[in-house]
Every structure is written in C-alpha cells, then in structure tokens.
Amino acid sequence: MLATLVVLALVGGAAVWYLLRQDDDPPPAAGPAAPSAAPTAEDTPAAPTTAPTAPAPESSADPRFVKVGQCVRNEGPAGGKPKLLISPCGPKTYEVLRRFDGQTSGEKDAEAKCAKVTGYTNWYFFDSQLDTLDFVLCLKLR
C-alpha cells in the first residue's frame, strides 16, 4: 500500500510539473469593429516554473496590473495576437475605460461587458486556468 501511495505521489508530482511548464499560445479572437492590430485576443500566460514566494511588483508593464485611466499599447504583430504593455498615454495607445476582474468565458463575455461602457472602441480579455486571474479590459483608442 505504501508503494502505491509513493507511485501515485510521483505521478501526480510529474503531472503538476508538466502543467506548470507548458507554454501554449491560444488562437486569436476578433473584437467589434477593431483594426487588425487592436488588442482583442485571448492571452494565456505560461505558468511559473516555481511557486512564487511574493506577488509580482505592480511596476511591471504587464497588463495584469493595469488600472482604469492608464494606457496600454499593442506590441504584437499587425493582424496577429496582441501583446499589451502598460505605457504612457499618447497617440495609438488604448486608454482603459473599465476593468472587469474575475471569471470570463472569452470573446462574447468581453463584448457583452464592454457593450455597457460608453466610448469604448476595443476590448481585450485574459482567460487563464485560474479564474481569479481572468479579466476583461474595455479600451478606447486615443
């Protein structure tokens, strides 16, 4: 019985290790009347290879830390998967009008949430395996 428990623990540990190391890029999704370089795609991050001991600093340019009123720019290829980075507001940046934290089901959910936001031009959603990390951004092209 002890040997069975050891084998199960090793197999479970190997499965967790594999899942934490995989780095899948999901296919892009379309947004409402958005230019091809607009940030409107699902973005699934790679899981960390080690368990973090402290939260990531909020000075990061990662869009996970963007707040309403800040701006992001799309560093992704034209017509490809967007890669948002927090940046100073200026021409060809997107101002965050509204942020919805919590579970999102993707494209239709992002569209429905942003449809209620006055003045938005584009949306972006982040859907991870851990629903507490999910968010939707309603953006306005500047």
Side-chain angles (χ1 to χ4, degrees):
M1 181 147 170
L2 182 59
T4 303
L5 288 175
V6 170
V7 169
L8 286 174
L10 288 174
V11 169
V16 168
W17 179 80
Y18 172 77
L19 290 174
L20 290 176
R21 294 197 43 102
Q22 80 184 53
D23 184 15
D24 294 336
D25 289 330
S36 61
T40 58
E42 177 177 357
D43 186 16
T44 304
T49 56
T50 59
T53 56
E58 289 199 26
S59 62
S60 169
D62 190 311
R64 292 179 296 160
F65 304 114
V66 72
K67 295 175 175 59
V68 172
Q70 289 184 304
C71 291
V72 293
R73 69 181 186 277
N74 182 12
E75 291 292 317
K81 178 179 149 188
K83 179 179 179 184
L84 297 186
L85 296 174
I86 298 174
S87 68
C89 292
K92 297 187 180 182
T93 62
Y94 297 88
E95 181 181 353
V96 178
L97 299 178
R98 181 87 191 263
R99 179 186 175 107
F100 294 92
D101 289 308
Q103 182 178 6
T104 182
S105 57
E107 221 176 294
K108 289 182 181 179
D109 182 51
E111 278 186 89
K113 287 176 178 173
C114 289
K116 300 172 188 169
V117 177
T118 305
Y120 96 98
T121 58
N122 302 86
W123 48 261
Y124 175 88
F125 70 93
F126 179 88
D127 187 17
S128 71
Q129 292 177 343
L130 186 58
D131 287 338
T132 57
L133 297 178
D134 293 358
F135 63 89
V136 172
L137 300 176
C138 303
L139 308 168
K140 178 182 179 181
L141 182 60
R142 294 178 60 100

